[in-house]
Amino acid sequence: MGNYNIKTDEKWQSKWEKDKLYKFDNSKLDKKLYTLEMFSYPSGSKLHAGHWFNYGPVDSWARMKRMEGYNVFQPMGFDAFGLPAENYAIKTGIHPKDSTFKNIETMEKQLRAMGAMFNWENEVITCSPDYYKWTQWVFLKLYEKGLAYKKKAPVNWCPSCNTVLANEQVLDGKCERCDSAVEKKDLEQWFLKITDYADELLEKLDDLDWPERTKAMQRHWIGKSTGADVTFKVVDSEIEFNVFTTRVDTLFGVTYVVLAPENELVDNLTTDEHKTEVEAYKIQAQNQSDIERQSITREKTGVFTGSYATNPINGKKVPIWVGDYVLNTYGTGCVMAVPAHDERDFAFATKYSLPIDRVIEGGDSLPFTDYGKLVNSEDFNGLYGEKAKEAIVNKLEETKFGKKKTNYRLRDWLVSRQRYWGAPIPIVHCDKCGTVPVPYDQLPVELPYNVEFSPDGESPLAKCDDFINTTCPVCGGHAKREADTLDTFVCSSWYYLRYPDNKNDKEPFNKELINKMLPVDKYVGGPEHACMHLLYARFVTKALRDMGYLNFDEPFKSLVHQGLILGPDGLKMSKSKGNTISPDDYINKYGSDVFRMYLMFGFDYTEGGAWSDDTIKSIARFVDRVERIIGSCENEITDASNNKTSMDKEEKELNYVRNHTIKAVTEDADKFQFNTSIARMMEFTNALSKYTASKSTKNSAFLKECIVDFIKLLAPFAPHFSEELWELHGFNSSVFNTKWPSFDKKALVKDEIEMAIQINGKVKAKINVPSSSSEDEIKEISLNNEDVKKHIEGKTIRKVIVIKNRLVNIVAN
Ligand code: ANZ
Ligand code: ZN
């Protein structure tokens, strides 16, 4: 065993802290690099290998960037409000505030033990009043701009726990805690109008350096779709309704229409004869989630209302049905059904024996869902796709029975929670003045400590008299505070704006500073946030920009998702499955650098994988070996006077590996390919070892240069260990204050190149040629090679093909 261990970590961590080595200087922002990792939730289960995998390698990248001359800002904090702490409190009676701050303390210690260059003086904790004061400020600013509003909306309701459930607490339509069937209940809720930004959120995705998959998910989530609203009149009635369709070219193929069960027209359209059946169906549909209802594989169900509507294009009478495959929250909540050309309609029509009329040519069987030539469509026969749509919409517009329409799948963001552990919504309800925002100078609206948070159907804050009763800021009369708290995603939608100016008590951030610090240059976190956090943050940035606070459009220029580290059993790590890996044990045994390098070497950063510690020992051996080899060069390092001006063959070879390593590590690490970076470092180690072992008189000046480069290259990946080596061998200051090595292009050109010679497709010989050789020279050397001569004896050479730097191909018979 070598000398590196956890003591080395501790030594350097306290030295770095004492020297304020990583303190961010915000007066030099021309080469700033804002590196951000998604902050953690302070849960009781402490930091696990997954956190480490998120933070450790990114810190290595940031360290390299620092050495490249960037002014790196890498803050850390805690996303500290939310349900887990509250649920834990309900179970154990420990107050969420107490458990949260205790967890934060533990996690901070663990994060420090990692030795990352976090700017702790910029820490942000979302449940601290000095932070959520500004979360409330953001909410009020959105409210002022009409981007926050209240409306009735259905929530998940557990009748047995008497409480509202978040979507993630509903499993298969049942309450996660008690297994009762979850119901829908209409409650007044606060929303943020993210839909105002739907178009920009969609368009600006193109310019972002983000994983394509994530951009595709956001595109899908926003779900822009262009089509038409078509008006159907109800037969023998004044009532009419619109359907939204993306396939107006199929209008002649409509054989029935379907309304969502919740559609407000359903009661009016249901004839007496069908009342009981429709009522029963509505109740049944109520408890299905939208996701279940949209499932393609689920059997389609529905009931007939007894009424008919008229197809505006041909006057045909079609039956009106109710079916839960139609969502009330999308389009108009009604669809025109074209079973011949739509899968869902086809299944439905087949089940209920409704007519299926083909209006598009093509395909062997129905449904045929592609575009094609129109048939059975009167004047429009023979038209195709877009042309057909255009012609039919024009006709509808003329007759006032329809118009072009764009729909979005994106919904406004529901931000109120009937929960305790969140930022109070800064609103007061006054009988006289109505909804009144809390004046800015009265922020924060503090979350009271003594609150009964066990669920009983009401927001916990509603029962806290001291909190809820207040005076109206407008009229001074008696008023009640809003009892709901904000979704934790509101807290995390703007935290990156607070870090650089976290101590500002006059404003959420200094405008001038923040516009220089942002956007974030590199954001790293899990892909599970693709459609929530990452979309909310983009929205809030754009809204604050439009209010004049920010001068950039997007918060995160470049995004990387780390892969998932799974348990040894290949399953997601979780306490309940007992397959979690605690980094602490490994760090105690091997030191944090070995653990960090193991994570980087053992897994592809964006892929992750199942945990196995097979190769952690080989990383520990690698560290020992480096220590030994560099130790053996002590004499050359201290006395580098043997400075031969020219390099011999061995020195040229080592110099090649050295420069090749610099190039490869710099490029690979920049692409977050840490595993190959470390593999290159191992090769460099081998080359150093070979050189030092084979030479009795070494070129000491040259060797010293190689070792200096080696330690610098290793430093980002093994920060404590490298700092120790740096000091041990008499180098001053911190290795992290030195310049990242650059490579010498000339050294990468090898004097000689090895080439394979194939004769009739089979490798028969290897040759070494000067790298400057021309094609003809290479041909000549090849044909004069003894092995080649043997093989071609007596044959006629038909062709010699030279593939530069690799191969000579001789065809002979
Ligand atoms: C007739 C039709 C014929 C349709 C055809 C498709 C194919 P996107 O792309 O997602 O916007 N639709 C409209 N509103 C709906 C709702 N509230 N619930 C469920 N389905 C709804 O999908 C638009 C298409 O989905 C619309 O075009 C409509 O069916 C259906 F051969 O209209 B289509
Ligand atoms: Zn009032």
Side-chain angles (χ1 to χ4, degrees):
M1 275 291 270
N3 293 310
Y4 167 72
N5 59 37
I6 189 168
K7 290 273 172 310
T8 323
D9 296 348
E10 286 160 1
K11 166 182 164 185
W12 287 103
Q13 282 160 24
S14 53
K15 183 148 173 38
W16 291 334
E17 199 167 322
K18 203 178 104 248
D19 297 348
K20 298 200 170 8
L21 187 65
Y22 307 121
K23 190 168 169 28
F24 182 69
D25 179 358
N26 69 15
S27 68
K28 292 196 204 101
L29 296 182
D30 47 318
K31 261 201 117 179
K32 68 91 189 175
L33 188 90
Y34 191 164
T35 308
L36 185 62
E37 292 118 79
M38 289 181 185
F39 57 174
S40 348
Y41 183 80
S43 77
S45 49
K46 309 207 282 181
L47 279 197
H48 50 70
H51 289 110
W52 255 91
F53 192 56
N54 184 185
Y55 302 146
V58 181
D59 179 64
S60 293
W61 178 82
R63 284 177 181 275
M64 174 177 88
K65 289 295 175 191
R66 176 193 165 101
M67 292 170 78
E68 284 179 357
Y70 288 93
N71 184 9
V72 174
F73 182 57
Q74 187 182 214
M76 185 43 75
F78 293 93
D79 191 9
F81 270 137
L83 214 59
E86 190 162 343
N87 284 344
Y88 182 71
I90 292 165
K91 223 165 65 190
T92 62
I94 299 173
H95 194 282
K97 185 174 174 192
D98 301 340
S99 64
T100 300
F101 279 99
K102 193 174 143 272
N103 291 339
I104 288 178
E105 209 186 298
T106 318
M107 288 175 81
E108 269 176 8
K109 250 191 231 130
Q110 287 187 299
L111 283 165
R112 283 174 192 272
M114 194 165 176
M117 23 175 220
F118 292 131
N119 297 100
W120 283 109
E121 61 286 1
N122 291 79
E123 184 179 21
V124 150
I125 296 175
T126 60
C127 68
S128 298
D130 62 357
Y131 179 83
Y132 70 68
K133 169 179 182 173
W134 302 113
T135 304
Q136 292 171 338
W137 179 95
V138 170
F139 178 87
L140 288 178
K141 284 289 164 192
L142 294 168
Y143 179 79
E144 241 171 55
K145 288 281 154 193
L147 292 170
Y149 65 93
K150 210 169 184 185
K151 98 174 176 203
K152 266 215 153 78
V155 291
N156 302 308
W157 178 261
C158 173
S160 127
C161 295
N162 241 337
T163 187
V164 174
L165 299 178
N167 283 332
E168 58 270 25
Q169 293 180 287
V170 183
L171 303 174
D172 283 335
K174 296 203 187 101
C175 171
E176 165 194 74
R177 289 200 238 130
C178 73
D179 240 18
S180 337
V182 171
E183 295 171 359
K184 288 258 151 69
K185 190 170 164 175
D186 270 342
L187 287 183
E188 282 279 323
Q189 302 277 359
W190 283 96
F191 288 87
L192 298 182
K193 228 174 181 175
I194 190 171
T195 53
D196 269 15
Y197 287 87
D199 263 323
E200 195 193 337
L201 288 168
L202 187 66
E203 274 159 27
K204 290 269 165 59
L205 276 176
D206 295 341
D207 312 333
L208 295 177
D209 171 24
W210 283 23
E212 274 314 315
R213 201 167 28 124
T214 306
K215 293 206 263 185
M217 280 170 77
Q218 282 207 0
R219 273 187 204 108
H220 179 77
W221 188 261
I222 296 166
K224 181 175 181 167
S225 96
T226 47
D229 273 351
V230 181
T231 309
F232 282 71
K233 274 203 150 88
V234 177
V235 175
D236 298 330
S237 158
E238 291 300 299
I239 302 174
E240 55 180 43
F241 58 87
N242 287 335
V243 300
F244 172 69
T245 178
T246 46
R247 291 296 306 271
V248 77
D249 56 316
T250 64
L251 188 53
F252 284 88
V254 175
T255 59
Y256 64 102
V257 291
V258 195
L259 307 188
E262 304 83 357
N263 193 301
E264 50 183 18
L265 289 177
V266 169
D267 289 344
N268 279 332
L269 296 182
T270 305
T271 59
D272 289 343
E273 200 187 335
H274 293 87
K275 272 239 140 70
T276 1
E277 226 186 325
V278 170
E279 278 312 309
Y281 187 75
K282 277 168 63 177
I283 291 168
Q284 177 198 318
Q286 215 171 48
N287 297 323
Q288 312 286 326
S289 75
D290 280 6
I291 298 169
E292 288 166 327
R293 284 168 59 166
Q294 280 172 289
S295 153
I296 316 169
T297 48
R298 185 168 161 267
E299 177 151 357
K300 308 282 167 290
T301 60
V303 283
F304 179 43
T305 61
S307 298
Y308 291 84
T310 310
N311 185 340
I313 201 80
N314 58 7
K316 213 165 120 184
K317 219 173 93 173
V318 292
I320 304 174
W321 282 66
V322 176
D324 70 3
Y325 75 96
V326 178
L327 303 179
N328 205 35
T329 47
Y330 186 67
T332 62
C334 317
V335 307
M336 56 180 235
V338 187
H341 303 292
D342 180 87
E343 303 274 358
R344 294 169 305 176
D345 299 344
F346 185 83
F348 192 90
T350 310
K351 179 167 174 187
Y352 295 109
S353 308
L354 292 157
I356 298 173
D357 296 346
R358 182 195 268 275
V359 290
I360 310 270
E361 223 172 56
D364 301 331
S365 61
L366 294 177
F368 173 69
T369 57
D370 278 352
Y371 286 101
K373 193 166 128 187
L374 261 55
V375 293
N376 304 323
S377 300
E378 299 176 8
D379 296 349
F380 304 93
N381 282 338
L383 293 178
Y384 284 88
E386 286 307 317
K387 274 233 167 71
K389 282 187 184 177
E390 194 68 29
I392 293 179
V393 166
N394 285 343
K395 176 79 182 180
L396 291 170
E397 283 186 341
E398 249 169 54
T399 54
K400 305 242 175 318
F401 273 101
K403 58 180 184 322
K404 285 186 186 150
K405 178 78 201 255
T406 302
N407 267 320
Y408 297 88
R409 207 159 284 285
L410 185 66
R411 293 281 158 270
D412 279 341
W413 173 15
L414 197 168
V415 294
S416 43
R417 297 286 178 272
Q418 292 71 49
R419 292 282 170 186
Y420 165 64
W421 192 234
I425 296 178
I427 292 283
V428 157
H429 301 284
C430 167
D431 285 343
K432 256 186 25 222
C433 312
T435 304
V436 181
V438 173
Y440 291 102
D441 61 7
Q442 288 175 27
L443 298 180
V445 175
E446 277 208 51
L447 187 66
Y449 184 83
N450 285 317
V451 172
E452 179 47 66
F453 44 75
S454 319
D456 69 350
E458 241 187 312
S459 295
L461 290 179
K463 291 167 292 186
C464 182
D465 291 339
D466 291 350
F467 173 83
I468 211 82
N469 295 312
T470 184
T471 48
C472 169
V474 178
C475 72
H478 176 258
K480 279 184 186 289
R481 287 192 188 281
E482 172 67 55
D484 290 358
T485 54
L486 287 169
D487 177 8
T488 48
F489 279 115
V490 180
C491 306
S492 59
S493 69
W494 76 281
Y495 77 113
Y496 47 91
L497 301 172
R498 181 67 180 171
Y499 274 135
D501 201 14
N502 66 332
K503 299 201 176 59
N504 193 334
D505 58 4
K506 307 267 173 332
E507 48 191 356
F509 46 78
N510 176 277
K511 209 166 114 176
E512 204 188 330
L513 172 68
I514 227 67
N515 283 324
K516 281 188 200 144
M517 281 298 295
L518 276 103
V520 169
D521 297 285
K522 189 70 88 183
Y523 195 27
V524 185
E528 67 277 14
H529 295 290
C531 295
M532 313 264 273
H533 165 61
L534 288 168
L535 198 61
Y536 299 149
R538 295 183 63 215
F539 156 62
V540 168
T541 293
K542 291 173 194 304
L544 290 174
R545 173 204 61 196
D546 289 347
M547 294 173 207
Y549 293 105
L550 306 176
N551 67 6
F552 49 94
D553 300 321
E554 290 286 341
F556 317 122
K557 261 200 317 222
S558 173
L559 173 74
V560 175
H561 295 310
Q562 82 277 16
L564 204 58
I565 300 291
L566 305 167
D569 50 7
L571 300 169
K572 202 179 153 159
M573 281 193 199
S574 88
K575 247 200 198 163
S576 61
K577 280 190 234 117
N579 64 351
T580 53
I581 296 297
S582 153
D584 298 8
D585 302 342
Y586 286 96
I587 289 157
N588 288 331
K589 184 160 174 203
Y590 295 106
S592 82
D593 288 352
V594 170
F595 187 66
R596 178 195 292 229
M597 272 203 284
Y598 166 63
L599 287 174
M600 289 195 279
F601 184 63
F603 302 89
D604 179 294
Y605 191 67
T606 56
E607 302 272 325
W611 177 263
S612 118
D613 58 9
D614 288 355
T615 51
I616 196 162
K617 286 204 184 74
S618 68
I619 295 285
R621 277 197 297 272
F622 166 65
V623 166
D624 288 350
R625 186 153 181 250
V626 167
E627 197 174 309
R628 255 184 289 116
I629 294 167
I630 294 183
S632 76
C633 304
E634 190 57 46
N635 291 339
E636 286 80 6
I637 297 172
T638 37
D639 174 17
S641 58
N642 179 10
N643 188 3
K644 288 188 286 174
T645 40
S646 69
M647 289 187 211
D648 63 19
K649 187 159 168 281
E650 283 86 18
E651 279 144 12
K652 276 187 185 157
E653 218 174 284
L654 176 59
N655 199 38
Y656 171 81
V657 176
R658 165 195 176 195
N659 283 284
H660 181 258
T661 308
I662 296 173
K663 182 171 189 286
V665 169
T666 309
E667 289 171 0
D668 288 4
D670 208 32
K671 286 183 273 183
F672 281 51
Q673 288 168 6
F674 303 113
N675 45 359
T676 53
S677 305
I678 291 175
R680 296 294 89 77
M681 289 306 292
M682 290 172 170
E683 287 165 13
F684 192 4
T685 314
N686 292 342
L688 269 176
S689 163
K690 190 171 157 198
Y691 176 77
T692 51
S694 69
K695 288 284 240 216
S696 46
T697 30
K698 300 169 190 111
N699 180 339
S700 59
F702 163 71
L703 182 57
K704 183 175 176 174
E705 274 176 30
C706 289
I707 286 175
V708 165
D709 282 352
F710 184 92
I711 301 177
K712 287 181 177 184
L713 288 175
L714 188 67
F717 309 111
H720 310 87
F721 173 60
S722 308
E723 197 79 309
E724 184 72 16
L725 286 177
W726 195 250
E727 184 191 60
L728 214 58
H729 297 292
F731 302 110
N732 292 323
S733 176
S734 163
V735 67
F736 296 104
N737 284 339
T738 66
K739 233 178 118 232
W740 186 250
S742 56
F743 62 90
D744 174 10
K745 261 197 192 137
K746 284 191 291 263
L748 290 178
V749 182
K750 281 194 171 172
D751 290 350
E752 284 205 332
I753 297 164
E754 190 186 67
M755 293 181 79
I757 302 183
Q758 284 188 351
I759 297 171
N760 295 333
K762 287 208 181 82
V763 177
K764 296 290 182 196
K766 294 246 162 87
I767 53 164
N768 283 321
V769 298
S771 62
S772 56
S773 315
S774 70
E775 226 179 278
D776 285 339
E777 283 163 345
I778 294 173
K779 277 184 193 169
E780 199 185 313
I781 298 170
S782 309
L783 296 174
N784 285 321
N785 178 285
E786 287 308 317
D787 288 334
V788 174
K789 275 189 186 158
K790 255 191 277 164
H791 279 103
I792 55 177
E793 222 185 86
K795 292 183 179 154
T796 320
I797 294 168
R798 303 280 169 202
K799 223 191 239 168
V800 180
I801 306 154
V802 176
I803 300 170
K804 264 243 138 154
N805 297 338
R806 282 183 46 213
L807 179 88
V808 182
N809 205 349
I810 302 172
V811 183
N813 55 17

